[in-house]
Amino acid sequence: MEEEIKAEFLKSGFTLDEEQEILKKCHTFCQDYGLEPSDLVSSWEIYYLNRQLDESVVKDAEMDGFLGHLQSEQLGASAKKDPGLHMYSFKDVDMVLDAEDEDAKDVILGTPIDKSEKLQLDIYDSAHKTNGNIYSSERKSKLVTPFGKRSNKFVVKFNIDNLPTIETANGIEEHYDLEDGIIKRVQPLKSSSLVVHRSGLEPGCRFMYDTIEDRFNAIENRIRKHAAALVASSLYEEPMDPSVASQRSMFAVGMICCDGEGHLNDKSILLQSSVEHSRGQLVRLELNKLSYFSVFPGQVVGIKGHNPSGHCLIASELVDSVPLSIAADADLPPTKKQALDGEIQATHLSSTPTETTMIIAAGPFTTTDNLLFEPLSELLAYATRNSPQLLILLGPFIDSEHPQIKKGTVDLSFDDIFQSEVLRMVQDYLEYMGPNARLVMVPSIRDANHDFVFPQPAFDLDSLDITSLNNPGIFEADQFMIGCCTVDILKHLSGEEMSRHSMDGQPNDRLSRLANHILSQQSFYPLYPPAEGVPMDFSLASEALHISSVPDLLILPSDIKYFVKVLPVGGTTEGEEEQMKRCVCINPGRLAKGEGGGTFVELKYQGSSDKMNASIISI
């Protein structure tokens, strides 16, 4: 047969690099899949064309990829004959166990399993078998991966605890009694009410149609709104033209710009005011007299100072935020504002804060060495044991930066991987948890199966019981507001920010300072120009990026170190209570990092930062 295989390759114009080794493997493929030599070579031609290989030389290095291609062909053929049949390949997480391995079920990848955890998994698995469904994370796999061999699982890395708790404080997840787990599963979850704030973005919306005028209007509107809010606070006078020479002190509002393509420095800071006040002219800004400031390109600020020469505005005060109550109501008519205030007051009087439990995780959801989505499986298994009311998953799901996605070595389309791996596991989780479980999914510009634009429309998942959110997006859960953005704005700001700190003044907490810029600028992405790789569409940005009021929770996944921080939001008017000025900012980290696991956040929230328990847990 090997001679026949060789003859078929030569007939089709292919030569064999390592002939003996290749023919041996091809012979095995023919036996395993019942193929004739001519059928095998026909399959190789399809594989050769799909991979766009340069030379007509069959190389041993391509045999593993060719095997995957054959398995996919067999899977497709079998699915047509019998839709209920599923053939498992080496790429599946949920491998079928042989009958002789029945006694080895207590062991996964050589790591002992706690008895109570194993029993809980068996109960979960049997529940799914009754529905004709098998949840992949609970099937024992023979594949030994670096992620599967990790030793420290579900270790608490960081914790803020303002609630009375009976959980252990040793930093490791406590295994509950099996009977408690059964009782917990029988008792239905308390439903969490979700209200999504729509921003005009819909799945399938037009993008890549923004013009120079759209960019101009987006910048001009930001400066005008900021100026109007500062004047409405009665703390500042009407803005003046900062480019006009004057010995008198003046107040100006404009956007920070950089004089050149490099990073900001004390000689390259420019201020661009609005067309209304200065015809959009730029003037150099000097901040040497300030003991504390933090600026970045695109930031809209108020400046008190003077410009004696007409060429340089010397700042004596920098205002980087506006009173939040003023900012939220600046564009509302007086009658509507009065009605809204009464409505909010009635809501606060009639509602009592209830505890909402949630788990927050950000992609990637699979390790870089495979597309098995083991971290996602482990996360969903953890969620079934801890029963959160709300599970928030933030992209990327099908990461365009994954090595196999970048190289194009996958045999399925990106949509097929999303459907068969991610959505299948998510649907199984929701089916198991019952109708009261809530799940929110937010896309990322790194998702290979979704629109590459920012702001980004939600996944089209209307047919599923999943709340799909725009990126960025805002929604309400049990009457408190949650904002999410999967673009790494914290990392981008970190690379562009210029700051000065007084020794005995403002605390030097850089992560809090970066997160505070999002709130003080009332924009999910205040940086301008956007960082390289961010496909900003300014025709969609004005409404979709705007933060009209400070959310209770702000979720900003980032490659920088995970954190949970309570931000005191500045710029409030006199008489506002301290608790109304706080926002909990969360960076859950990445669920998968390289070939290992990352982190996620588990949160119990009772309506304020003073009544919450937040834990950052390694997967």
Side-chain angles (χ1 to χ4, degrees):
M1 178 173 279
E2 290 184 6
E3 289 297 324
E4 293 180 19
I5 293 172
K6 180 180 177 181
E8 288 292 338
F9 272 119
L10 294 176
K11 186 194 298 185
S12 298
F14 293 100
T15 57
L16 306 181
D17 187 16
E18 300 176 28
E19 184 175 309
Q20 186 175 356
E21 191 66 27
I22 291 173
L23 291 176
K24 184 178 177 180
K25 290 182 179 179
C26 289
H27 187 186
T28 303
F29 297 162
C30 287
Q31 290 179 325
D32 289 346
Y33 298 109
L35 298 174
E36 294 295 328
S38 58
D39 297 331
L40 179 81
V41 175
S42 296
S43 294
W44 169 261
E45 289 178 338
I46 296 172
Y47 175 81
Y48 170 86
L49 293 173
N50 287 344
R51 289 293 180 275
Q52 298 182 352
L53 302 179
D54 295 332
E55 303 174 311
S56 58
V57 179
V58 182
K59 297 182 179 180
D60 186 51
E62 294 290 341
M63 287 295 102
D64 287 340
F66 183 43
L67 172 60
H69 174 74
L70 291 175
Q71 290 172 335
S72 297
E73 282 188 338
Q74 295 296 313
L75 179 62
S78 300
K80 291 179 181 178
K81 294 178 183 177
D82 185 357
L85 179 65
H86 182 82
M87 291 184 61
Y88 293 87
S89 70
F90 67 91
K91 288 183 279 187
D92 284 292
V93 181
D94 40 345
M95 302 291 287
V96 175
L97 289 176
D98 297 328
E100 62 267 19
D101 293 333
E102 199 69 30
D103 296 332
K105 284 187 177 180
D106 288 354
V107 180
I108 297 180
L109 306 178
T111 302
I113 286 186
D114 182 87
K115 185 177 180 182
S116 64
E117 184 177 350
K118 177 188 177 297
L119 289 172
Q120 176 65 27
L121 297 184
D122 289 344
I123 292 170
Y124 177 73
D125 193 34
S126 64
H128 272 263
K129 287 180 181 178
T130 61
N131 296 325
N133 228 338
I134 297 178
Y135 184 42
S136 62
S137 70
E138 310 307 340
R139 303 304 299 162
K140 281 58 172 182
S141 173
K142 288 182 178 179
L143 290 177
V144 180
T145 62
F147 179 83
K149 292 190 292 185
R150 74 198 190 286
S151 56
N152 296 325
K153 301 180 181 180
F154 304 112
V155 176
V156 176
K157 298 284 190 180
F158 175 82
N159 179 257
I160 296 177
D161 189 0
N162 296 327
L163 294 176
T165 180
I166 58 174
E167 296 177 355
T168 59
N170 59 3
I172 301 177
E173 180 194 69
E174 180 183 20
H175 293 289
Y176 51 80
D177 186 272
L178 176 61
E179 294 182 2
D180 294 338
I182 296 174
I183 293 172
K184 195 175 184 180
R185 193 67 60 240
V186 171
Q187 293 175 345
L189 281 173
K190 181 184 175 184
S191 177
S192 178
S193 63
L194 295 184
V195 179
V196 177
H197 292 204
R198 297 297 179 186
S199 60
L201 285 176
E202 297 295 337
C205 67
R206 287 196 348 160
F207 57 92
M208 293 179 65
Y209 285 90
D210 62 333
T211 61
I212 298 295
E213 184 180 0
D214 291 325
R215 288 176 175 255
F216 167 80
N217 288 334
I219 296 171
E220 181 70 10
N221 289 338
R222 278 189 63 203
I223 298 174
R224 284 187 176 184
K225 285 183 179 181
H226 215 85
L230 288 172
V231 173
S233 70
S234 301
L235 300 175
Y236 305 97
E237 60 189 25
E238 196 71 32
M240 298 176 61
D241 184 354
S243 63
V244 175
S246 174
Q247 297 293 335
R248 294 177 53 194
S249 177
M250 69 174 71
F251 178 69
V253 177
M255 186 179 73
I256 299 293
C257 302
C258 182
D259 184 14
E261 295 184 358
H263 294 284
L264 285 179
N265 59 62
D266 57 353
K267 301 296 184 184
S268 67
I269 306 175
L270 301 176
L271 185 73
Q272 177 182 336
S273 191
S274 68
V275 172
E276 178 185 1
H277 294 110
S278 70
R279 303 173 303 284
Q281 291 192 43
L282 295 165
V283 63
R284 197 167 80 81
L285 181 62
E286 184 180 300
L287 303 177
N288 293 336
K289 291 187 176 181
L290 303 182
S291 60
Y292 171 83
F293 63 83
S294 173
V295 295
F296 59 88
Q299 181 184 22
V300 180
V301 297
I303 299 290
K304 280 186 178 181
H306 63 285
N307 186 354
S309 64
H311 302 292
C312 179
L313 179 62
I314 303 172
S316 58
E317 181 183 347
L318 185 147
V319 183
D320 60 359
S321 62
V322 297
L324 300 175
S325 58
I326 299 293
D329 300 338
D331 299 326
L332 294 178
T335 54
K336 187 173 181 180
K337 189 186 306 182
Q338 185 177 359
L340 185 62
D341 289 341
E343 190 177 312
I344 293 172
Q345 185 176 3
T347 302
H348 284 308
L349 290 175
S350 61
S351 63
T352 56
T354 59
E355 180 176 281
T356 301
T357 58
M358 65 185 78
I359 289 177
I360 305 166
F365 291 95
T366 188
T367 52
T368 55
D369 57 329
N370 59 59
L371 287 171
L372 303 179
F373 290 90
E374 293 171 288
L376 178 59
S377 299
E378 292 274 359
L379 177 75
L380 295 178
Y382 179 89
T384 61
R385 298 195 296 271
N386 291 271
S387 304
Q389 294 165 267
L390 181 61
L391 176 61
I392 302 176
L393 302 180
L394 305 108
F397 297 93
I398 310 302
D399 188 6
S400 58
E401 296 183 9
H402 189 283
Q404 293 184 27
I405 300 292
K406 290 178 74 173
K407 294 178 182 177
T409 57
V410 291
D411 296 315
L412 299 175
S413 71
F414 302 142
D415 280 329
D416 287 342
I417 298 174
F418 184 62
Q419 294 282 342
S420 62
E421 294 294 341
V422 178
L423 291 184
R424 176 176 64 89
M425 285 191 279
V426 163
Q427 286 179 275
D428 287 346
Y429 163 79
L430 289 173
E431 182 181 349
Y432 175 69
M433 296 300 291
N436 287 338
R438 296 286 183 264
L439 191 143
V440 175
M441 295 182 72
V442 187
S444 165
I445 60 173
R446 283 167 52 180
D447 274 309
N449 62 311
H450 200 44
D451 297 333
F452 183 64
V453 62
F454 184 72
Q456 190 176 30
F459 289 122
D460 190 2
L461 303 176
D462 289 341
S463 59
L464 305 178
D465 192 20
I466 298 172
T467 301
S468 185
L469 211 62
N470 295 334
N471 173 35
I474 297 177
F475 67 100
E476 291 183 38
D478 295 335
Q479 297 183 350
F480 64 88
M481 193 180 298
I482 302 175
C484 310
C485 181
T486 58
V487 170
D488 198 346
I489 180 58
L490 294 177
K491 184 178 179 181
H492 298 167
L493 283 179
S494 178
E496 298 291 341
E497 182 207 33
M498 173 187 171
S499 62
R500 177 186 297 159
H501 311 284
S502 58
M503 300 302 294
D504 55 352
Q506 300 283 346
N508 186 14
D509 182 354
R510 190 158 191 252
L511 294 179
S512 293
R513 189 173 70 245
L514 294 174
N516 242 321
H517 284 313
I518 311 297
L519 300 175
S520 62
Q521 293 293 297
Q522 300 150 26
S523 171
F524 281 106
Y525 200 92
L527 186 66
Y528 182 85
E532 185 178 357
V534 177
M536 182 73 76
D537 189 318
F538 286 90
S539 65
L540 307 173
S542 293
E543 182 183 358
L545 298 185
H546 182 60
I547 303 176
S548 58
S549 58
V550 177
D552 299 283
L553 303 180
L554 181 62
I555 305 173
L556 301 173
S558 175
D559 292 334
I560 63 179
K561 189 176 180 181
Y562 52 78
F563 64 81
V564 176
K565 291 186 178 292
V566 179
L567 305 178
V569 183
T572 53
T573 57
E574 185 178 355
E576 290 186 0
E577 297 181 8
E578 185 69 12
Q579 64 179 6
M580 300 301 292
K581 302 187 297 182
R582 295 185 178 274
C583 171
V584 180
C585 185
I586 298 172
N587 170 21
R590 305 294 184 183
L591 192 67
K593 290 186 176 181
E595 295 184 359
T599 56
F600 64 94
V601 167
E602 187 170 15
L603 180 67
K604 297 176 183 177
Y605 190 78
Q606 289 188 358
S608 80
S609 59
D610 298 328
K611 296 179 180 179
M612 74 169 184
N613 186 331
S615 299
I616 298 177
I617 304 171
S618 65
I619 189 72

